[in-house]
Amino acid sequence: MDIRSSFEALDKKITSYGGLDGGGITRLLYTEEWLNAVQGLRGLLKEKGFTTRFDSVGNLIGRIEGSKYPEETIMSGSHIDTVVEGGHLDGQFGVLAATVAMESLQAAHGQPLRSLEILALAEEEGSRFPFAFWGSKNFFNLAEKAEVESITDAKGIKFEDAMHQSGFDYRTSDNDYSDVKSFVEVHIEQGKVLETEQKSIGIVEGIVGQKRYTVNLKGEANHAGTTPMGLRKDAVVAFSKIAVELTERAEMIGDPLVITFGRVDPVPNTVNVVPGEVTFSIDCRHINQIELDQFASEIDKCIKRIAEDEGVSYEIDLWMDEAPTLMDKRLVGEITKAAKQIVGESDCKLMPSGAGHDSQIFAKHVPTAMIFVPSINGVSHNIEEETEMDDLVKGIEVLKQVLYQLAYEE
């Protein structure tokens, strides 16, 4: 079985569900495009000899029964939804890579000792409704009806109405995932590290922790022409000093620490008034909890000191505080061994993931690991999202080798 041609055919077929004329995909949870995609994928899996089923919320599972240890399941996959005008690889590649790898293993080696399962998770992105990881959170009995029953999309359609129209419903009983012994997710990097360093395979050691803040500074709005510089309480100047100082400090500490000031809202936001107020966001990430906490302390101290120096008041709201998620060391070792065999030691890299993935939900409950392939120019969540076919094939081959070790070897 040729992995390249098999993936190309499968990718072309599944990309057509929600595919856009100008390229890319819009496939949002519980839309017609999403439903056609999961039903189409189910049909293809049946043709390839998988037994298939949906859980209550729409997660699709394709299974090859194990011959000796059928109660032990080795699982791989990702999410099937996309962002608006997204690419054909984010999420989808992980699902199709698992399909091709497992089909190839069965063709070459027959029935595995342990059961193999593909998982196409219903939703990860949160692109249609203000709720992310609906698929993986339901898989582990973490999502609650109360969290979504009153939310709507941009058109005012209720979450539960869209779900019911697609033929799915809330979870009525807890899922039993005790049979899942390993979960391996393959994903595009969505960044430029692998491409810049000319590596084919990223071995993910963990997913970064995140702290997100909303900060409000209040000074005094006043006339831009009649207020001398020394008498101003300019909230934007205070913000600017905070942004520069914390950015320089993060650069001094170095990778993998990152800080981003993604949203800035000055008031009154007009050309001839000294801005008396500004609200801004901070997104800070690191793979190490201690170092993330230490930098968070520096954020607080910096804001307080500069606000006092500039004569403005401050409010700091830490509204997200997610701990880093480390991958399973044994599985990381298996991926490392497979990657070295397939692409060579110099062509793979141990690295953190700066973006969130379904694996961060899985890793808290079952042994989990991730494989990255490069993203051209680091572009993702965009119709221009792409990866060289040779790199996609290498990612599938590494996954295939890992799944062989986990499912076929004693």
Side-chain angles (χ1 to χ4, degrees):
M1 175 183 163
D2 182 68
I3 286 178
R4 179 186 295 263
S5 59
S6 296
F7 172 78
E8 287 177 330
L10 194 56
D11 182 60
K12 182 178 180 181
K13 176 66 174 177
I14 302 302
T15 296
S16 68
Y17 300 114
L20 306 172
D21 291 339
I25 307 173
T26 296
R27 185 191 298 148
L28 308 183
L29 178 65
Y30 299 142
T31 59
E32 181 180 357
E33 295 80 9
W34 174 90
L35 184 59
N36 288 340
V38 293
Q39 293 288 9
L41 179 60
R42 185 182 195 184
L44 288 169
L45 290 175
K46 286 181 177 179
E47 291 175 9
K48 296 175 185 299
F50 291 81
T51 59
T52 65
R53 64 181 176 88
F54 284 109
D55 69 8
S56 58
V57 303
N59 292 322
L60 173 63
I61 298 98
R63 181 177 175 89
I64 300 172
E65 189 82 1
S67 61
K68 188 173 182 180
Y69 310 107
E71 72 286 354
E72 297 181 12
T73 299
I74 308 302
M75 182 173 278
S76 182
S78 192
H79 59 97
I80 199 68
D81 66 314
T82 73
V83 298
V84 175
E85 296 185 357
H88 71 116
L89 296 174
D90 179 8
Q92 179 170 294
F93 174 58
V95 175
L96 303 189
T99 303
V100 173
M102 291 182 192
E103 182 186 14
S104 179
L105 283 170
Q106 189 174 36
H109 304 287
Q111 189 178 9
L113 297 178
R114 297 171 188 83
S115 298
L116 285 168
E117 284 190 351
I118 293 162
L119 181 60
L121 289 155
E123 190 273 344
E124 184 247 35
E125 298 286 4
S127 295
R128 183 179 182 188
F129 300 98
F131 190 96
F133 299 111
W134 176 247
S136 53
K137 284 184 176 179
N138 270 285
F139 191 88
F140 292 105
N141 310 310
L142 302 175
E144 299 294 340
K145 178 179 178 180
E147 296 178 283
V148 298
E149 61 183 345
S150 63
I151 64 175
T152 62
D153 66 8
K155 296 179 180 178
I157 299 172
K158 293 182 66 177
F159 183 98
E160 62 180 25
D161 289 344
M163 178 173 61
H164 291 155
Q165 188 172 355
S166 295
F168 299 103
D169 207 341
Y170 294 113
R171 190 181 70 253
T172 55
S173 60
D174 283 351
N175 294 318
D176 181 7
Y177 51 85
S178 60
D179 65 312
V180 180
K181 302 306 177 185
S182 300
F183 177 76
V184 183
E185 182 177 11
V186 186
H187 209 283
I188 57 172
E189 182 196 348
Q190 300 178 285
K192 297 183 71 171
V193 173
L194 291 175
E195 183 183 59
T196 300
E197 298 188 14
Q198 298 182 317
K199 307 288 187 181
S200 295
I201 297 293
I203 304 155
V204 179
E205 57 184 333
I207 298 172
V208 296
Q210 299 185 42
K211 292 181 185 285
R212 294 186 184 179
Y213 303 78
T214 297
V215 182
N216 178 264
L217 303 177
K218 286 185 179 178
E220 181 179 78
N222 217 327
H223 196 290
T226 63
T227 310
M229 299 302 290
L231 299 180
R232 297 184 178 202
K233 296 181 179 180
D234 190 325
V236 166
V237 168
F239 157 72
S240 301
K241 291 184 177 182
I242 290 166
V244 168
E245 182 170 314
L246 288 175
T247 298
E248 290 178 347
R249 177 60 180 150
E251 290 172 345
M252 184 182 301
I253 293 171
D255 297 335
L257 175 68
V258 293
I259 187 169
T260 304
F261 300 87
R263 180 177 178 180
V264 184
D265 297 315
V267 177
N269 197 22
T270 189
V271 66
N272 59 349
V273 179
V274 176
E277 182 176 357
V278 63
T279 301
F280 61 94
S281 65
I282 301 176
D283 180 311
C284 182
R285 308 186 188 201
H286 200 292
I287 192 66
N288 183 285
Q289 183 69 63
I290 294 174
E291 295 191 40
L292 182 61
D293 289 341
Q294 288 175 343
F295 192 70
S297 177
E298 293 192 39
I299 289 173
D300 285 344
K301 292 175 182 177
C302 175
I303 292 171
K304 293 173 183 177
R305 174 172 45 79
I306 291 177
E308 291 172 1
D309 289 347
E310 296 299 317
V312 301
S313 63
Y314 62 88
E315 291 182 0
I316 305 171
D317 177 21
L318 174 61
W319 56 269
M320 176 188 282
D321 192 1
E322 293 284 346
T325 303
L326 299 181
M327 299 292 99
D328 181 79
K329 289 184 178 180
R330 180 181 68 88
L331 288 181
V332 169
E334 295 286 3
I335 293 171
T336 301
K337 182 170 68 174
K340 288 179 179 179
Q341 289 175 354
I342 290 167
V343 302
E345 185 171 359
S346 64
D347 203 18
C348 52
K349 177 182 177 65
L350 189 67
M351 63 187 297
S353 171
H357 297 285
D358 286 304
S359 285
Q360 71 193 62
I361 306 297
F362 273 76
K364 295 177 174 67
H365 304 277
V366 300
T368 298
M370 291 191 75
I371 301 166
F372 274 172
V373 295
S375 295
I376 295 176
N377 294 322
V379 173
S380 185
H381 284 190
N382 186 309
I383 63 173
E384 301 298 327
E385 170 186 284
E386 198 54 82
T387 294
E388 296 288 352
M389 182 56 66
D390 284 349
D391 288 329
L392 295 174
V393 171
K394 288 174 184 176
I396 297 171
E397 289 176 339
V398 172
L399 175 64
K400 177 183 173 182
Q401 179 64 24
V402 171
L403 294 179
Y404 177 82
Q405 292 164 1
L406 296 174
Y408 283 83
E409 293 185 347
E410 282 284 356

